[in-house]
């Protein structure tokens, strides 16, 4: 994948994550605020002041996630972002992290 292809894919992934979380906030599922600065999406849980940070790493063509449970790297495999350690899928993992930090069960699509 070229760098410009990666950047477009990473941008659409961050947009998708932010859109899912905005909807959960609007539906009063979790009290969350998203802030975006370039390739970094900061997700703050207002109930407990914890954060999840999602950002793209163009040189490695990876998406990185920092959550209370740890730091994770995701590489594109086919049509999915897969964890470089345990092969879990990005949106499934984010659903788990948001559930843990947000205090309500969620499924990011």
């Amino acid at each position: 994948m070229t760098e410009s292809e990666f950047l477009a894919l990473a941008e659409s992934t961050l947009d998708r994550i932010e859109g899912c979380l905005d909807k959960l906030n609007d539906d009063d599922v979790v009290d969350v605020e998203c802030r975006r600065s370039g390739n970094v999406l900061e997700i703050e849980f207002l109930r407990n002041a914890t954060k999840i940070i999602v950002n793209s790493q163009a040189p490695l063509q990876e998406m990185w996630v920092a959550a209370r449970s740890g730091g994770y790297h995701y590489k594109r495999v086919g049509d999915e972002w897969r964890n470089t350690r345990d092969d879990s899928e990005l949106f499934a993992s984010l659903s788990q992290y948001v559930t843990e930090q947000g205090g309500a069960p969620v499924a990011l699509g």
Side-chain angles (χ1 to χ4, degrees):
M1 161 180 354
T2 67
E3 184 174 347
S4 60
E5 289 171 331
F6 170 80
L7 292 172
L9 183 58
E11 178 77 16
S12 69
T13 300
L14 292 172
D15 288 345
R16 183 174 162 204
I17 294 167
E18 187 173 14
C20 289
L21 291 167
D22 285 345
K23 179 158 179 25
L24 289 171
N25 186 63
D26 291 347
D27 293 345
D28 289 327
V29 176
V30 290
D31 197 8
V32 65
E33 184 174 300
C34 295
R35 281 186 288 287
R36 184 91 168 264
S37 178
N39 68 330
V40 178
L41 175 63
E42 182 179 293
I43 305 159
E44 182 176 5
F45 298 90
L46 303 177
R47 180 178 68 91
N48 57 18
T50 64
K51 294 180 182 180
I52 294 174
I53 308 295
V54 183
N55 68 299
S56 63
Q57 294 293 319
L60 300 172
Q61 293 195 346
E62 293 181 347
M63 299 297 292
W64 288 5
V65 176
R68 191 166 53 187
S69 59
Y72 309 93
H73 298 186
Y74 295 83
K75 199 156 203 58
R76 195 70 174 180
V77 177
D79 292 335
E80 299 177 320
W81 293 103
R82 306 301 297 195
N83 187 306
T84 59
R85 290 188 188 153
D86 67 9
D87 201 43
S88 59
E89 193 274 329
L90 174 64
F91 283 87
S93 297
L94 271 176
S95 296
Q96 178 184 338
Y97 310 145
V98 171
T99 295
E100 291 169 1
Q101 290 182 232
V106 301
L108 301 177

